[in-house]
Amino acid sequence: PMPKTTYQEVTTTGPIEWARLSEGNRDLEGYGGAYQKTEGAYTVNQVLDKEQMKKLKDSGSQKQPNQKRIMDGEMVVKFVRPHKVVKKDGGVLEQAGGEPKVTDKDGNPWTEDMGAIGNGTVAECTNLITTFTGGDGKQYARTSLVSVKVLELVEYIKENEAVGF
């Protein structure tokens, strides 16, 4: 019998970068057009310390830190959630796509007037780890961003709005 698919949620805490978490600023392309088939994806990078990285690994996630950043002594993992997941039969898997849930530290939905989420914002990122056996008999794990809870906001200010000089 095929081993069953398992689901586990894992939450990691740390500074985030390049948050693209709303429909309006999602990444439509991805590296080499990787996100085109899902009509874009929601992405965020999170800086993890050893303890948080271990927590992610222990959940079964196969996410690897960015190699270049490891050279600089930082573990940075990119979390992704597709915008639209289409099944083999052409139907849409609603629960697997769409905007991740973004909230403030009290769980209230994040709204634009709360500010734009800038690099260095400390947040909790919750991912769903789906572990399954591929057609080749190997174990795989899919890590999909579910929600982001903003703990300490560093507001992103657009450069052309910066005052000074």
Side-chain angles (χ1 to χ4, degrees), residues 27-42:
D27 184 345
L28 293 171
E29 289 293 321
Y31 182 74
Y35 302 152
Q36 287 174 349
K37 65 178 185 297
T38 58
E39 293 179 21
Y42 303 93

Side-chain angles (χ1 to χ4, degrees), residues 66-124:
N66 175 306
Q67 284 298 310
K68 193 170 160 300
R69 295 286 290 271
I70 289 179
M71 310 283 278
D72 302 331
E74 278 190 312
M75 287 187 288
V76 182
V77 175
K78 183 177 198 171
F79 296 126
V80 178
R81 180 179 181 82
H83 177 61
K84 189 176 178 187
V85 178
V86 179
K87 296 182 294 196
K88 288 194 177 74
D89 66 9
V92 174
L93 198 60
E94 294 292 346
Q95 67 273 29
E99 289 183 342
K101 193 173 136 194
V102 183
T103 61
D104 66 11
K105 64 180 190 304
D106 301 317
N108 303 305
W110 194 264
T111 55
E112 262 175 46
D113 57 3
M114 292 178 180
I117 300 170
N119 292 355
T121 292
V122 178
E124 285 179 2

